[in-house]
Amino acid sequence: GIQVEQSPPDLILQEGANSTLRCNFSDSVNNLQWFHQNPWGQLINLFYIPSGTKQNGRLSATTVATERYSLLYISSSQTTDSGVYFCAVLDHLTSGTYKYIFGTGTRLKVLA
Amino acid sequence: DVKVTQSSRYLVKRTGEKVFLECVQDMDHENMFWYRQDPGLGLRLIYFSYDVKMKEKGDIPEGYSVSREKKERFSLILESASTNQTSMYLCASRPLRDRAETQYFGPGTRLLVL
């Protein structure tokens, strides 16, 4: 099956700093998502980005599908950015449905 | 707004008890999922369902069962809870075949088995 690896596993930033999170995947994909899990456990979708670049405020993401990686950029980080960032790719099943394969996440802590 | 709710945020059970975790979604999604999350291991899929009364094993189904009697509700059952099932449990839903659609998560249940 598809393998998804994320780096770094942990990241500590001072408020205002920029960061780049990386997701590598082992096979071609047609759906890649970035999720943020806040400190209370809620996961929220950030980007659906199987290829190309998208931006949403201080966050942007780029997926280079041919080289099997995706990057999540956080600029001018804030304490509310703290939490765990997951990359997930969609795996097509023989039953005709799909399931996500998640990376192990990057735990980000932004210090005030 | 899609809403996925879980019956409890925190749960404390004793070893050997039967435990029910309930998940309800209000967006008529065909697919529903149960994950557990443990430090350093990310999200691991326990079971999922793509239709009423249909279920498929995920990556770690041992010690768990599920029930989907209605489209909006997906239950995770621990037949005889053990301490190694202490974890955060997350439910999610998404449409069946739309590859571009995201997955929506509930708030999670933190289960402690003593």
mmCIF file of all heavy atoms in Angstrom, chain B residues 9-15 17 19 81-83 85-89 109-114:
data_model
loop_
_atom_site.group_PDB
_atom_site.id
_atom_site.type_symbol
_atom_site.label_atom_id
_atom_site.label_comp_id
_atom_site.label_asym_id
_atom_site.label_seq_id
_atom_site.Cartn_x
_atom_site.Cartn_y
_atom_site.Cartn_z
ATOM 1 N N ARG B 9 -16.739 12.863 25.059
ATOM 2 C CA ARG B 9 -15.399 13.412 24.868
ATOM 3 C C ARG B 9 -14.375 12.637 25.702
ATOM 4 O O ARG B 9 -13.242 12.456 25.280
ATOM 5 C CB ARG B 9 -15.348 14.894 25.266
ATOM 6 C CG ARG B 9 -16.111 15.814 24.374
ATOM 7 C CD ARG B 9 -15.635 15.764 22.920
ATOM 8 N NE ARG B 9 -14.224 16.044 22.755
ATOM 9 C CZ ARG B 9 -13.715 17.272 22.612
ATOM 10 N NH1 ARG B 9 -14.503 18.323 22.609
ATOM 11 N NH2 ARG B 9 -12.407 17.437 22.437
ATOM 12 N N TYR B 10 -14.803 12.212 26.904
ATOM 13 C CA TYR B 10 -13.938 11.459 27.800
ATOM 14 C C TYR B 10 -14.708 10.279 28.354
ATOM 15 O O TYR B 10 -15.896 10.401 28.658
ATOM 16 C CB TYR B 10 -13.451 12.337 28.963
ATOM 17 C CG TYR B 10 -12.673 13.559 28.526
ATOM 18 C CD1 TYR B 10 -13.305 14.776 28.338
ATOM 19 C CD2 TYR B 10 -11.307 13.472 28.288
ATOM 20 C CE1 TYR B 10 -12.595 15.893 27.914
ATOM 21 C CE2 TYR B 10 -10.584 14.593 27.863
ATOM 22 C CZ TYR B 10 -11.240 15.782 27.675
ATOM 23 O OH TYR B 10 -10.540 16.880 27.265
ATOM 24 N N LEU B 11 -13.997 9.158 28.489
ATOM 25 C CA LEU B 11 -14.638 7.946 28.972
ATOM 26 C C LEU B 11 -13.615 7.169 29.783
ATOM 27 O O LEU B 11 -12.464 7.006 29.353
ATOM 28 C CB LEU B 11 -15.089 7.122 27.758
ATOM 29 C CG LEU B 11 -16.311 6.238 27.810
ATOM 30 C CD1 LEU B 11 -17.511 6.988 28.367
ATOM 31 C CD2 LEU B 11 -16.621 5.710 26.420
ATOM 32 N N VAL B 12 -14.042 6.683 30.938
ATOM 33 C CA VAL B 12 -13.186 5.844 31.770
ATOM 34 C C VAL B 12 -13.913 4.522 31.986
ATOM 35 O O VAL B 12 -15.062 4.517 32.458
ATOM 36 C CB VAL B 12 -12.870 6.505 33.127
ATOM 37 C CG1 VAL B 12 -11.963 5.591 33.950
ATOM 38 C CG2 VAL B 12 -12.216 7.862 32.931
ATOM 39 N N LYS B 13 -13.264 3.435 31.629
ATOM 40 C CA LYS B 13 -13.856 2.104 31.745
ATOM 41 C C LYS B 13 -12.876 1.162 32.436
ATOM 42 O O LYS B 13 -11.672 1.444 32.521
ATOM 43 C CB LYS B 13 -14.212 1.561 30.359
ATOM 44 C CG LYS B 13 -15.291 2.354 29.644
ATOM 45 C CD LYS B 13 -16.636 2.207 30.332
ATOM 46 C CE LYS B 13 -17.718 2.979 29.594
ATOM 47 N NZ LYS B 13 -19.022 2.863 30.283
ATOM 48 N N ARG B 14 -13.416 0.061 32.900
ATOM 49 C CA ARG B 14 -12.582 -0.953 33.557
ATOM 50 C C ARG B 14 -12.297 -2.086 32.576
ATOM 51 O O ARG B 14 -13.096 -2.377 31.675
ATOM 52 C CB ARG B 14 -13.283 -1.493 34.791
ATOM 53 C CG ARG B 14 -13.493 -0.419 35.858
ATOM 54 C CD ARG B 14 -13.196 -0.959 37.255
ATOM 55 N NE ARG B 14 -13.206 0.140 38.223
ATOM 56 C CZ ARG B 14 -12.103 0.747 38.637
ATOM 57 N NH1 ARG B 14 -10.927 0.384 38.188
ATOM 58 N NH2 ARG B 14 -12.167 1.733 39.515
ATOM 59 N N THR B 15 -11.181 -2.734 32.779
ATOM 60 C CA THR B 15 -10.798 -3.897 31.964
ATOM 61 C C THR B 15 -11.930 -4.915 31.972
ATOM 62 O O THR B 15 -12.486 -5.221 33.024
ATOM 63 C CB THR B 15 -9.520 -4.526 32.528
ATOM 64 O OG1 THR B 15 -8.484 -3.557 32.533
ATOM 65 C CG2 THR B 15 -9.078 -5.707 31.680
ATOM 66 N N GLU B 17 -14.850 -4.564 30.520
ATOM 67 C CA GLU B 17 -16.165 -3.978 30.235
ATOM 68 C C GLU B 17 -16.428 -3.921 28.731
ATOM 69 O O GLU B 17 -15.495 -3.837 27.933
ATOM 70 C CB GLU B 17 -16.238 -2.549 30.793
ATOM 71 C CG GLU B 17 -16.536 -2.442 32.263
ATOM 72 C CD GLU B 17 -16.890 -1.010 32.670
ATOM 73 O OE1 GLU B 17 -18.030 -0.584 32.391
ATOM 74 O OE2 GLU B 17 -16.016 -0.335 33.248
ATOM 75 N N VAL B 19 -17.658 -1.681 25.749
ATOM 76 C CA VAL B 19 -17.669 -0.239 25.549
ATOM 77 C C VAL B 19 -18.271 0.076 24.188
ATOM 78 O O VAL B 19 -17.928 -0.556 23.182
ATOM 79 C CB VAL B 19 -16.241 0.344 25.620
ATOM 80 C CG1 VAL B 19 -16.267 1.867 25.445
ATOM 81 C CG2 VAL B 19 -15.566 -0.022 26.939
ATOM 82 N N ALA B 81 -12.956 -4.551 26.997
ATOM 83 C CA ALA B 81 -11.912 -3.523 26.958
ATOM 84 C C ALA B 81 -10.640 -3.998 27.666
ATOM 85 O O ALA B 81 -10.682 -4.662 28.707
ATOM 86 C CB ALA B 81 -12.428 -2.244 27.604
ATOM 87 N N SER B 82 -9.521 -3.613 27.072
ATOM 88 C CA SER B 82 -8.221 -3.915 27.675
ATOM 89 C C SER B 82 -7.418 -2.620 27.790
ATOM 90 O O SER B 82 -7.703 -1.637 27.094
ATOM 91 C CB SER B 82 -7.459 -4.942 26.839
ATOM 92 O OG SER B 82 -7.178 -4.410 25.563
ATOM 93 N N THR B 83 -6.420 -2.642 28.656
ATOM 94 C CA THR B 83 -5.649 -1.415 28.896
ATOM 95 C C THR B 83 -4.949 -0.921 27.638
ATOM 96 O O THR B 83 -4.747 0.293 27.476
ATOM 97 C CB THR B 83 -4.617 -1.627 30.015
ATOM 98 O OG1 THR B 83 -3.790 -2.746 29.694
ATOM 99 C CG2 THR B 83 -5.305 -1.877 31.363
ATOM 100 N N GLN B 85 -6.156 -0.631 24.881
ATOM 101 C CA GLN B 85 -7.116 0.100 24.061
ATOM 102 C C GLN B 85 -7.344 1.519 24.582
ATOM 103 O O GLN B 85 -8.188 2.256 24.047
ATOM 104 C CB GLN B 85 -8.438 -0.667 23.973
ATOM 105 C CG GLN B 85 -8.291 -1.962 23.181
ATOM 106 C CD GLN B 85 -9.572 -2.763 23.104
ATOM 107 O OE1 GLN B 85 -10.216 -3.018 24.125
ATOM 108 N NE2 GLN B 85 -9.944 -3.177 21.906
ATOM 109 N N THR B 86 -6.592 1.893 25.591
ATOM 110 C CA THR B 86 -6.583 3.288 26.014
ATOM 111 C C THR B 86 -6.024 4.122 24.880
ATOM 112 O O THR B 86 -4.903 3.882 24.404
ATOM 113 C CB THR B 86 -5.704 3.459 27.275
ATOM 114 O OG1 THR B 86 -6.357 2.837 28.379
ATOM 115 C CG2 THR B 86 -5.478 4.932 27.590
ATOM 116 N N SER B 87 -6.804 5.089 24.429
ATOM 117 C CA SER B 87 -6.399 5.847 23.242
ATOM 118 C C SER B 87 -7.400 6.961 22.983
ATOM 119 O O SER B 87 -8.412 7.092 23.671
ATOM 120 C CB SER B 87 -6.352 4.904 22.026
ATOM 121 O OG SER B 87 -5.800 5.549 20.895
ATOM 122 N N MET B 88 -7.080 7.745 21.967
ATOM 123 C CA MET B 88 -8.020 8.723 21.433
ATOM 124 C C MET B 88 -8.698 8.074 20.220
ATOM 125 O O MET B 88 -8.006 7.564 19.325
ATOM 126 C CB MET B 88 -7.255 9.987 20.999
ATOM 127 C CG MET B 88 -8.047 10.963 20.159
ATOM 128 S SD MET B 88 -9.184 11.922 21.147
ATOM 129 C CE MET B 88 -8.972 13.534 20.381
ATOM 130 N N TYR B 89 -10.037 8.105 20.202
ATOM 131 C CA TYR B 89 -10.787 7.519 19.098
ATOM 132 C C TYR B 89 -11.465 8.629 18.306
ATOM 133 O O TYR B 89 -12.163 9.476 18.870
ATOM 134 C CB TYR B 89 -11.814 6.518 19.627
ATOM 135 C CG TYR B 89 -11.157 5.280 20.177
ATOM 136 C CD1 TYR B 89 -10.745 5.218 21.508
ATOM 137 C CD2 TYR B 89 -10.905 4.187 19.347
ATOM 138 C CE1 TYR B 89 -10.096 4.099 22.000
ATOM 139 C CE2 TYR B 89 -10.263 3.057 19.848
ATOM 140 C CZ TYR B 89 -9.861 3.019 21.162
ATOM 141 O OH TYR B 89 -9.211 1.908 21.641
ATOM 142 N N THR B 109 -12.972 10.964 21.116
ATOM 143 C CA THR B 109 -13.268 10.434 22.453
ATOM 144 C C THR B 109 -11.969 9.932 23.048
ATOM 145 O O THR B 109 -11.304 9.067 22.462
ATOM 146 C CB THR B 109 -14.277 9.274 22.381
ATOM 147 O OG1 THR B 109 -15.522 9.744 21.885
ATOM 148 C CG2 THR B 109 -14.474 8.651 23.765
ATOM 149 N N ARG B 110 -11.618 10.474 24.199
ATOM 150 C CA ARG B 110 -10.430 9.971 24.910
ATOM 151 C C ARG B 110 -10.877 8.887 25.866
ATOM 152 O O ARG B 110 -11.614 9.166 26.812
ATOM 153 C CB ARG B 110 -9.744 11.110 25.660
ATOM 154 C CG ARG B 110 -9.147 12.152 24.738
ATOM 155 C CD ARG B 110 -8.379 13.218 25.510
ATOM 156 N NE ARG B 110 -7.997 14.322 24.651
ATOM 157 C CZ ARG B 110 -6.913 14.350 23.882
ATOM 158 N NH1 ARG B 110 -6.090 13.328 23.887
ATOM 159 N NH2 ARG B 110 -6.639 15.397 23.126
ATOM 160 N N LEU B 111 -10.461 7.668 25.571
ATOM 161 C CA LEU B 111 -10.857 6.510 26.374
ATOM 162 C C LEU B 111 -9.697 6.066 27.248
ATOM 163 O O LEU B 111 -8.583 5.858 26.768
ATOM 164 C CB LEU B 111 -11.283 5.352 25.453
ATOM 165 C CG LEU B 111 -11.557 4.013 26.135
ATOM 166 C CD1 LEU B 111 -12.783 4.115 27.046
ATOM 167 C CD2 LEU B 111 -11.760 2.912 25.106
ATOM 168 N N LEU B 112 -9.985 5.911 28.520
ATOM 169 C CA LEU B 112 -9.011 5.373 29.473
ATOM 170 C C LEU B 112 -9.567 4.072 30.013
ATOM 171 O O LEU B 112 -10.685 4.045 30.546
ATOM 172 C CB LEU B 112 -8.772 6.365 30.619
ATOM 173 C CG LEU B 112 -7.904 5.886 31.775
ATOM 174 C CD1 LEU B 112 -6.494 5.569 31.305
ATOM 175 C CD2 LEU B 112 -7.858 6.942 32.885
ATOM 176 N N VAL B 113 -8.811 2.991 29.837
ATOM 177 C CA VAL B 113 -9.216 1.690 30.361
ATOM 178 C C VAL B 113 -8.306 1.346 31.536
ATOM 179 O O VAL B 113 -7.087 1.249 31.391
ATOM 180 C CB VAL B 113 -9.129 0.595 29.271
ATOM 181 C CG1 VAL B 113 -9.613 -0.741 29.849
ATOM 182 C CG2 VAL B 113 -9.957 0.975 28.053
ATOM 183 N N LEU B 114 -8.927 1.173 32.689
ATOM 184 C CA LEU B 114 -8.155 0.906 33.923
ATOM 185 C C LEU B 114 -8.098 -0.581 34.252
ATOM 186 O O LEU B 114 -9.047 -1.315 33.929
ATOM 187 C CB LEU B 114 -8.778 1.656 35.093
ATOM 188 C CG LEU B 114 -8.836 3.194 34.931
ATOM 189 C CD1 LEU B 114 -9.608 3.816 36.085
ATOM 190 C CD2 LEU B 114 -7.418 3.761 34.873
#
